[in-house]
Amino acid sequence: MAEAIFQTFEQKATPAQGAPHLKLLRAELKARGLDGFVIPRTDEHQNEYVPASSERLAWLTGFMGSWGMAVVLADTAAIFVDGRYTVQVREQVDVHTFTPEHLIDNPPEAWLEKHLKAGQKLGFDPWLHTADGTKKLEKACAAAKAELIAVDTNPVDAVWADRPAPPLGQIVLHKPAYAGEDAHTKLKRIQSKLAAQGADAVVLTDAHAVAWAFNIRGGDVGHTPLPLGFAIVPREGKAELFMDGRKFSNTVRDAVADMAEIAEPLALDRALERLGQSGSIVKFDGASASNRLVALLERSGGQAEVGIDMIALMKAVKNNAEIAGSRAAHARDGAAMTRFLAWFDREAISEKLTEIDVAIALEGFRRDTGVLKDVSFPSIAGAGPNAAIPHYKVSTESNRRVERGIFLIDSGAQYEDGTTDITRTMVVGPATPEMKDRFTRVLKGHIAIDTAVFPKGVSGAQLDSFARKPLWEVGLDFDHGTGHGIGSYLSVHEGPQRIAKTGVTPLEAGMMLSNEPGFYKAGHWGMRIENLILVEKRDIPGAEREMFGFDTLSFAPIDLNLVEPALLTVAERAWLNAYHAKTRAIVGPHLDAETMKWLEGATREI
Amino acid sequence: MAEAIFQTFEQKATPAQGAPHLKLLRAELKARGLDGFVIPRTDEHQNEYVPASSERLAWLTGFMGSWGMAVVLADTAAIFVDGRYTVQVREQVDVHTFTPEHLIDNPPEAWLEKHLKAGQKLGFDPWLHTADGTKKLEKACAAAKAELIAVDTNPVDAVWADRPAPPLGQIVLHKPAYAGEDAHTKLKRIQSKLAAQGADAVVLTDAHAVAWAFNIRGGDVGHTPLPLGFAIVPREGKAELFMDGRKFSNTVRDAVADMAEIAEPLALDRALERLGQSGSIVKFDGASASNRLVALLERSGGQAEVGIDMIALMKAVKNNAEIAGSRAAHARDGAAMTRFLAWFDREAISEKLTEIDVAIALEGFRRDTGVLKDVSFPSIAGAGPNAAIPHYKVSTESNRRVERGIFLIDSGAQYEDGTTDITRTMVVGPATPEMKDRFTRVLKGHIAIDTAVFPKGVSGAQLDSFARKPLWEVGLDFDHGTGHGIGSYLSVHEGPQRIAKTGVTPLEAGMMLSNEPGFYKAGHWGMRIENLILVEKRDIPGAEREMFGFDTLSFAPIDLNLVEPALLTVAERAWLNAYHAKTRAIVGPHLDAETMKWLEGATREI
């Protein structure tokens, strides 16, 4: 049987570990004179994927979701999760030890106000909270007349016996052919922005920003080729990169040293103190900068400007080399997807496959390309009711057999030339009229985004409803955004642009997004159609505005067995046929004859 | 010749008054030891329509727009306006005396930072700036090392020789049949909200909120039946209404005294001091509460919670009586509009009418109803190029003759049972293919909003793009929101809901909005189609969400000479025919036979 290399399906944590680990932590807190402690899921970079050494929340509670926060007091403890994880938290966490709370309905701050007693001391690790997050904790403590204490070392680490060592993934240079702009030029652009904004330096705390600015990649977390570290770019002079020296080969060190002083992570404190002592105005990214760094600068006399990441917008607009790389990656990835879909079409009808078999098979087809670096996230492979959970992650416990009905797979790949993310929904056996109706409405929404044209200045928030309209018309909707930004051989989720109610960043030519409307019938099945799309200028004769539209990047067949042609307009049917023709043209050259034959059937004109 | 009663077309101010008035003000500032002063357009309630006694900006500069701000220093002076008024400001203001500046590109704060000198004293009237607005001035002064001084009396008033007295419009009770909820119940609802939010009192600073809460109307400003005044609603006990006693008849005083203590405006200070001294938590509406009141409470020891107006959302959701009143008002107003449109169709072709003639005629048809209280704003009546100015206000200087081509009229009425706002665009003589194309796209956008169905929780921001899509498809757009809220025999502009990029308030059943997409060909012509619409629940078989849609309130023919049927879908054509059939059914009973005959032709099936 084939195995996955980049995905695991075992639960690494269990609910049973909650009680003993909580006991250890409480003893440690008592020894330190603390009455409580806050344990977020984040690491020092407030990242979505964190190294094993930072999985403190999972160690303490068993919870494995991508966002959560535990609060431990002497006589009570709670874990806060958002709407995505209200079911999962009850499966992964001992709820008698940690009371599950809803992040929005009863946020940690409100809970703390209620449970903290006057005079108590609440500890927090200032590396793991943003300046804003810290303010919320401060406010809650003030309201309860308690004291908020920043700890120097994390008490979880002190009692976590088998805590893994922090990662030392080797750093590689991101090839110029894929980066498209050398790091010197990027750093100079950052420096001009600093000059224009009257700031003396910017601290890069988001590891993606560091990777982008210096054209380096690493291997410190799963699924994203991130080297964890920090950097300071001064308005004038050489940048400083704070990263464990053991991650560099001599060759890479020489190349990086050409554009930055390389220093150990501990030296960051001293560098911030120096900036502070000279009264510098220093910019921080509010979303990833920890309270510790901002406070250190301010304590040293500097002026912190905490706001929107100045690198994020630069990184979001892809250059021609990144766009060309993405197209090549997508042709290759589309061929792997097509081989996978042909295999699934052949095998699934036996009703013997499991979700894990399917995820392993898809990874295999991607590895067959010979250039797969990683999957870009653990595949969401859901059969029947599991497909109705938008953020489902298959494990050996949850693994379902693929029976007749709906199967949804949302997956992606990391190639050096580009990151992919694609969702296809297939029906095993015949589709019901309800399935066809819903799928066709999701497809209509997908087409409405793909074909949207809009003037400069329009944001994803202004397009999001186009994807929902066909569902709204029959009283339905889906409870997630329509699209997120994506990195270039970096994170599969990247801001600031989004197609969602909250996506207020104006779209710019060169930005990449996902287009992934869906529909979920809880307890039964779910469906989603996802392609990546590229914002590009659109010449319209007689236009009075600078206009944009989307160019589709992902190509793989959309299951025609789920399409109800009568629900499509003439233009929508033409879109689907043209998309499938382009899929044959782009993916075809990468296919063997047998798969090509299958593809021709799967993409027949309707 | 007929005359208008509720609209004037004379410019009350001229550019020539700028220099002498500025000289007077500078002398006064010098006498008071001030180096500068800020003069906003607003009054003590931050209102759109202000009484003549508060038209300080117009007196000083000649500028008559609804928003603007002058800043006067000893050796320089500037006037700041937004995009709507960049042309108008140059016509109404002596630009050698007041340099026009763009509010967004070069805001007053940035200008002050540059022009204020260290040690200078900048005066401001704390009644005329919100807490937020004051903070911006403070920041600018701090950056320039200057001092911001709150004046006790406005220096403009001291030198404005013929300043009108503050208004004393008689207060009337808003009839229960139109209000639909008695003031006691409204006040109790406010008090429950205060209890739920843990606040001790709310200060009503928005005069609309006062009028709504106490079911009173007045006559202190043009076009909105507002009694200017303030109120305090405590969590427990009787409300206090601060309003000039001369505005009350004995009967009205008795009725109001039943629900509130009536006190003179000056007593507000003492009431706030009392709240402060008892350490009360007091809510203020951030958009209308002046710095003076917030600061006074805080100085006296109270805790101010400045945020979103708690009354605004209550007021925005209309009850059944208000909805029934609005429907009656719209049937009556639609008949007046129809009589007007028939008259225009007959008369305009002579090319002898002027814009003012047309505005006067329309007011006349509305007065013929016998129950018109006022127009709800000065009609925007634009011929040809003037129609291309979305916020055009016709004056004797700008008045154009109605020639062949486009004529746009945006107007509304105040009736005791409801406020109306409607825009129609007509073509005199034949329409060009370009006019028809643009008008039909605007109509398609209008229909897309009118027919939208959407789940609970969706805001106007999420619908706005539906109105723009048909224009975007050919590279066009319009530069204003698609819709605003509207009051019930109150202001024609009312928040918080809007159909616009900024309209993030979720729509609720009972909210009323305008639906007014447009297209403007600068220097040539402009077009807009506006109806009012009501959010209502929508039963959709099989719906999984609580769904809303819009019910159309305004009925008057849409000019078929501007419609290109080939551009409409089958559903859109059906909408137009059904809308016109409903217009005949609703408006018809109010019409004479001749106008009815005209209406039948104007609303023929296409």
Side-chain angles (χ1 to χ4, degrees):
Chain A
M1 184 74 205
E3 275 181 39
I5 291 180
F6 299 116
Q7 300 172 86
T8 58
F9 306 102
E10 303 298 324
Q11 293 281 20
K12 282 171 278 179
T14 71
Q17 73 197 51
H21 288 179
L22 179 60
K23 199 175 163 190
L24 288 170
L25 177 60
R26 280 188 172 142
E28 175 70 18
L29 293 179
K30 201 172 172 194
R32 293 190 184 197
L34 292 173
D35 299 295
F37 197 69
V38 186
I39 305 96
R41 172 25 174 62
T42 51
D43 67 0
E44 293 83 345
H45 308 274
Q46 323 292 327
N47 199 15
E48 181 177 350
Y49 295 111
V50 304
S53 53
S54 293
E55 292 275 17
R56 297 180 183 93
L57 185 64
W59 175 84
L60 180 66
T61 68
F63 178 70
M64 297 289 294
S66 68
W67 201 96
M69 181 181 279
V71 184
V72 169
L73 297 179
D75 49 0
T76 181
I79 179 162
F80 300 81
V81 299
D82 59 42
R84 287 176 295 176
Y85 294 120
T86 45
V87 175
Q88 181 175 324
V89 72
R90 292 175 177 277
E91 290 165 358
Q92 296 184 333
V93 176
D94 171 2
V95 298
H96 302 294
T97 303
F98 295 93
T99 313
E101 298 284 354
H102 192 286
L103 181 72
I104 307 298
D105 301 343
N106 186 20
E109 298 77 42
W111 188 93
L112 278 167
E113 260 192 65
K114 200 174 138 199
H115 288 87
L116 271 178
K117 296 187 187 77
Q120 286 194 323
K121 290 184 203 302
L122 178 74
F124 81 110
D125 183 343
W127 275 112
L128 309 183
H129 299 261
T130 61
D132 263 7
T134 307
K135 267 185 207 135
K136 287 185 194 168
L137 293 177
E138 274 168 2
K139 215 179 144 188
C141 286
K145 301 194 179 9
E147 199 181 341
L148 184 69
I149 310 273
V151 299
D152 282 333
T153 61
N154 197 306
V156 173
D157 300 355
V159 292
W160 181 355
D162 54 350
R163 181 176 172 234
L168 287 173
Q170 284 299 294
I171 294 174
V172 295
L173 300 173
H174 189 43
K175 295 198 180 76
Y178 303 141
E181 179 180 13
D182 75 20
H184 280 108
T185 320
K186 289 182 179 178
L187 292 168
K188 267 192 200 133
R189 282 207 285 146
I190 296 171
Q191 291 181 320
S192 333
K193 274 183 194 281
L194 288 172
Q197 296 174 15
D200 298 306
V202 57
V203 182
L204 308 194
T205 47
D206 178 349
H208 303 86
V210 174
W212 177 85
F214 295 93
N215 282 340
I216 54 177
R217 297 295 186 268
D220 288 342
V221 300
H223 314 312
T224 307
L226 271 189
L228 295 181
F230 300 92
I232 296 178
V233 183
R235 192 173 53 201
E236 282 167 18
K238 206 165 181 184
E240 290 172 283
L241 184 60
F242 303 89
M243 219 166 252
D244 193 310
R246 289 170 289 176
K247 296 186 191 175
F248 294 88
S249 69
N250 287 341
T251 324
V252 171
R253 176 182 293 277
D254 287 350
V256 174
D258 186 37
M259 48 198 174
E261 301 292 343
I262 302 175
E264 289 302 308
L266 283 174
L268 176 59
D269 278 15
R270 189 63 205 105
L272 284 172
E273 282 165 3
R274 267 199 311 271
L275 281 173
Q277 283 152 8
S278 64
S280 299
I281 299 171
V282 178
K283 294 187 95 69
F284 288 89
D285 166 28
S288 67
S290 67
N291 166 267
R292 189 177 178 286
L293 300 180
V294 175
L296 179 59
L297 177 90
E298 286 178 339
R299 255 199 329 269
S300 317
Q303 186 182 327
E305 288 191 349
V306 182
I308 291 166
D309 184 12
M310 64 189 305
I311 313 298
L313 254 181
M314 301 170 75
K315 174 158 58 74
V317 175
K318 270 59 176 175
N319 60 40
N320 288 341
E322 290 171 318
I323 291 170
S326 178
R327 288 194 202 281
H330 274 94
R332 181 188 315 126
D333 199 59
M337 273 299 291
T338 302
R339 289 183 62 212
F340 160 77
L341 290 169
W343 168 86
F344 184 87
D345 190 34
R346 204 166 58 233
E347 299 292 334
I349 197 72
S350 72
E351 297 191 295
K352 285 183 184 155
L353 295 174
T354 67
E355 293 167 346
I356 291 179
D357 294 337
V358 176
I360 289 173
L362 175 52
E363 188 188 305
F365 288 112
R366 286 201 162 108
R367 284 209 311 273
D368 286 350
T369 63
V371 290
L372 180 71
K373 290 292 181 177
D374 199 338
V375 296
S376 59
F377 60 100
S379 297
I380 297 172
N386 283 345
I389 306 167
H391 297 90
Y392 176 63
K393 184 178 176 308
V394 53
S395 69
T396 47
E397 276 85 45
S398 70
N399 194 22
R400 279 184 79 94
R401 207 157 47 77
V402 181
E403 299 174 333
R404 277 160 202 254
I406 293 291
F407 192 86
L408 180 155
I409 187 152
D410 184 349
S411 68
Q414 292 285 9
Y415 305 107
E416 278 187 282
D417 48 0
T419 303
T420 71
D421 182 3
I422 185 167
T423 308
R424 287 295 180 266
T425 306
M426 296 84 83
V427 61
V428 180
T432 66
E434 186 192 17
M435 288 173 183
K436 283 189 173 188
D437 179 87
R438 299 328 187 218
F439 187 84
T440 308
R441 288 179 189 280
V442 171
L443 176 60
K444 287 166 83 79
H446 180 96
I447 296 172
I449 295 293
D450 192 83
T451 58
V453 289
F454 49 90
K456 189 179 170 78
V458 164
S459 68
Q462 293 174 265
L463 302 180
D464 181 64
S465 300
F466 292 158
R468 301 176 192 274
K469 191 167 191 282
L471 288 165
W472 285 356
E473 281 168 1
V474 289
L476 308 174
D477 199 359
F478 56 93
D479 287 327
H480 58 73
T482 300
H484 54 79
I486 189 157
S488 191
Y489 191 40
L490 268 179
S491 177
V492 75
H493 291 156
E494 176 180 289
Q497 79 279 14
R498 294 188 70 202
I499 303 176
K501 208 160 73 166
T502 51
V504 296
T505 304
L507 299 180
E508 295 281 351
M511 285 182 172
M512 284 179 192
L513 293 139
S514 71
N515 169 15
E516 49 179 314
F519 175 74
Y520 309 91
K521 185 173 164 135
H524 293 85
W525 41 259
M527 34 191 45
R528 188 159 66 245
I529 306 172
E530 177 186 25
N531 285 338
L532 298 190
I533 51 180
L534 168 72
V535 182
E536 59 171 21
K537 286 196 185 171
R538 200 52 69 83
D539 280 325
I540 297 175
E544 292 181 355
R545 316 265 168 151
E546 186 174 345
M547 300 298 295
F548 294 134
F550 295 118
D551 193 32
T552 318
L553 292 170
S554 316
F555 289 96
I558 291 168
D559 192 349
L560 292 176
N561 297 318
L562 281 166
V563 176
E564 174 49 65
L567 271 180
L568 295 177
T569 64
V570 172
E572 287 165 343
R573 208 183 295 195
W575 181 94
L576 184 57
N577 287 329
Y579 176 75
H580 274 155
K582 206 163 170 188
T583 301
R584 291 192 298 272
I586 286 178
V587 165
H590 299 264
L591 297 179
D592 56 283
E594 194 187 344
T595 311
M596 187 64 201
K597 202 175 157 197
W598 176 87
L599 178 62
E600 276 163 6
T603 59
R604 67 194 175 274
E605 284 239 343
I606 60 156
Chain B
M1 183 72 204
E3 274 182 39
I5 291 180
F6 299 116
Q7 300 174 85
T8 57
F9 307 101
E10 302 298 324
Q11 295 280 20
K12 281 171 281 181
T14 70
Q17 72 197 52
H21 288 178
L22 179 61
K23 199 174 164 193
L24 288 170
L25 177 60
R26 278 185 172 145
E28 176 70 19
L29 294 178
K30 200 171 174 195
R32 295 191 184 198
L34 293 172
D35 299 296
F37 197 69
V38 185
I39 305 96
R41 161 70 178 14
T42 51
D43 67 1
E44 292 82 345
H45 307 274
Q46 323 294 325
N47 197 16
E48 181 176 351
Y49 295 111
V50 305
S53 55
S54 293
E55 291 277 18
R56 297 179 182 92
L57 184 63
W59 176 84
L60 179 66
T61 68
F63 178 70
M64 298 289 294
S66 67
W67 202 97
M69 182 182 275
V71 184
V72 169
L73 297 179
D75 50 0
T76 179
I79 179 163
F80 299 81
V81 298
D82 59 42
R84 288 175 294 176
Y85 294 121
T86 44
V87 176
Q88 181 175 323
V89 71
R90 293 176 176 276
E91 289 164 358
Q92 297 183 333
V93 176
D94 171 3
V95 297
H96 302 294
T97 304
F98 295 93
T99 314
E101 298 285 354
H102 193 287
L103 181 71
I104 307 298
D105 301 343
N106 185 20
E109 298 77 43
W111 189 92
L112 277 167
E113 259 193 69
K114 197 173 140 200
H115 287 88
L116 271 178
K117 296 188 187 77
Q120 286 194 323
K121 290 183 204 303
L122 178 74
F124 81 111
D125 183 342
W127 276 111
L128 309 183
H129 299 260
T130 62
D132 263 10
T134 307
K135 267 185 208 135
K136 287 186 193 167
L137 293 178
E138 274 167 2
K139 214 179 144 187
C141 286
K145 299 190 179 15
E147 198 181 342
L148 183 69
I149 309 275
V151 299
D152 283 330
T153 60
N154 196 306
V156 173
D157 300 355
V159 293
W160 182 355
D162 53 351
R163 181 176 172 233
L168 288 173
Q170 285 298 294
I171 294 175
V172 295
L173 299 173
H174 190 43
K175 296 196 179 76
Y178 303 142
E181 179 181 13
D182 75 20
H184 282 108
T185 320
K186 289 182 179 177
L187 292 168
K188 268 192 201 131
R189 283 207 284 145
I190 296 171
Q191 290 181 320
S192 331
K193 273 183 194 279
L194 288 172
Q197 296 175 14
D200 298 306
V202 56
V203 181
L204 308 193
T205 47
D206 179 349
H208 303 85
V210 174
W212 177 84
F214 295 92
N215 282 341
I216 54 177
R217 297 295 185 269
D220 288 342
V221 303
H223 315 312
T224 307
L226 270 189
L228 295 181
F230 299 93
I232 296 179
V233 183
R235 192 174 52 199
E236 282 166 18
K238 206 163 179 184
E240 290 173 283
L241 184 61
F242 302 90
M243 219 166 250
D244 194 309
R246 290 170 290 175
K247 295 185 192 175
F248 293 89
S249 68
N250 287 340
T251 324
V252 170
R253 175 182 294 277
D254 288 350
V256 173
D258 185 37
M259 50 197 173
E261 301 290 344
I262 303 175
E264 289 302 308
L266 283 174
L268 177 60
D269 279 15
R270 189 63 203 105
L272 283 172
E273 281 165 3
R274 268 200 309 271
L275 281 172
Q277 283 153 10
S278 64
S280 299
I281 299 172
V282 179
K283 294 188 93 71
F284 289 89
D285 165 30
S288 66
S290 67
N291 166 268
R292 188 176 178 286
L293 300 180
V294 175
L296 179 58
L297 178 90
E298 287 177 337
R299 253 199 331 268
S300 317
Q303 187 182 326
E305 288 191 350
V306 182
I308 291 165
D309 185 10
M310 64 189 303
I311 313 298
L313 254 180
M314 302 170 74
K315 176 160 55 78
V317 175
K318 269 60 178 176
N319 60 40
N320 288 340
E322 290 171 319
I323 291 169
S326 178
R327 289 195 202 280
H330 274 95
R332 183 188 313 128
D333 199 60
M337 273 300 290
T338 302
R339 288 182 63 210
F340 160 76
L341 290 169
W343 168 86
F344 184 87
D345 191 34
R346 206 167 57 233
E347 300 291 333
I349 197 72
S350 72
E351 298 190 294
K352 285 181 181 154
L353 295 174
T354 67
E355 293 166 347
I356 291 178
D357 295 336
V358 176
I360 289 173
L362 175 54
E363 188 188 307
F365 288 112
R366 285 199 163 108
R367 283 208 311 273
D368 286 350
T369 64
V371 290
L372 181 71
K373 291 291 182 178
D374 199 337
V375 296
S376 59
F377 60 98
S379 296
I380 298 171
N386 284 345
I389 306 167
H391 297 90
Y392 175 64
K393 184 178 176 310
V394 53
S395 69
T396 46
E397 276 84 45
S398 69
N399 194 21
R400 279 184 81 94
R401 206 154 49 75
V402 180
E403 298 174 337
R404 278 162 200 253
I406 292 290
F407 191 85
L408 180 155
I409 185 151
D410 184 349
S411 69
Q414 292 286 8
Y415 306 106
E416 277 187 282
D417 48 0
T419 303
T420 71
D421 183 3
I422 184 167
T423 308
R424 286 296 179 268
T425 306
M426 295 85 81
V427 62
V428 180
T432 65
E434 186 191 17
M435 288 173 184
K436 284 188 173 190
D437 178 88
R438 299 327 187 224
F439 186 84
T440 307
R441 289 180 188 279
V442 172
L443 176 61
K444 287 166 82 80
H446 181 94
I447 296 172
I449 294 294
D450 191 84
T451 58
V453 288
F454 49 91
K456 190 179 168 76
V458 164
S459 68
Q462 292 173 266
L463 302 180
D464 181 64
S465 300
F466 292 158
R468 301 176 192 275
K469 191 168 190 281
L471 288 165
W472 286 357
E473 280 168 0
V474 289
L476 308 174
D477 199 357
F478 57 93
D479 286 328
H480 57 74
T482 300
H484 55 80
I486 188 158
S488 189
Y489 191 40
L490 268 179
S491 177
V492 75
H493 291 155
E494 175 180 291
Q497 79 279 15
R498 294 188 70 200
I499 303 176
K501 207 161 72 166
T502 52
V504 296
T505 304
L507 299 181
E508 295 282 351
M511 285 180 170
M512 285 180 190
L513 293 140
S514 71
N515 170 15
E516 49 180 313
F519 174 74
Y520 308 92
K521 186 173 163 136
H524 293 85
W525 41 259
M527 34 189 49
R528 185 158 70 247
I529 306 173
E530 177 187 26
N531 284 339
L532 298 190
I533 51 181
L534 168 71
V535 182
E536 58 172 21
K537 287 196 185 170
R538 201 49 70 82
D539 279 325
I540 296 175
E544 292 181 357
R545 316 264 169 152
E546 187 176 341
M547 300 296 295
F548 295 134
F550 295 117
D551 192 34
T552 318
L553 292 169
S554 317
F555 290 96
I558 291 167
D559 192 348
L560 292 176
N561 297 318
L562 281 165
V563 175
E564 175 49 65
L567 271 180
L568 296 177
T569 65
V570 172
E572 287 164 343
R573 210 183 294 195
W575 180 95
L576 184 56
N577 287 329
Y579 176 75
H580 275 154
K582 205 164 171 188
T583 301
R584 291 192 299 270
I586 286 178
V587 166
H590 299 265
L591 297 179
D592 57 284
E594 194 188 344
T595 311
M596 186 64 202
K597 200 174 157 198
W598 175 87
L599 178 62
E600 276 161 7
T603 59
R604 67 194 175 274
E605 284 239 340
I606 60 155

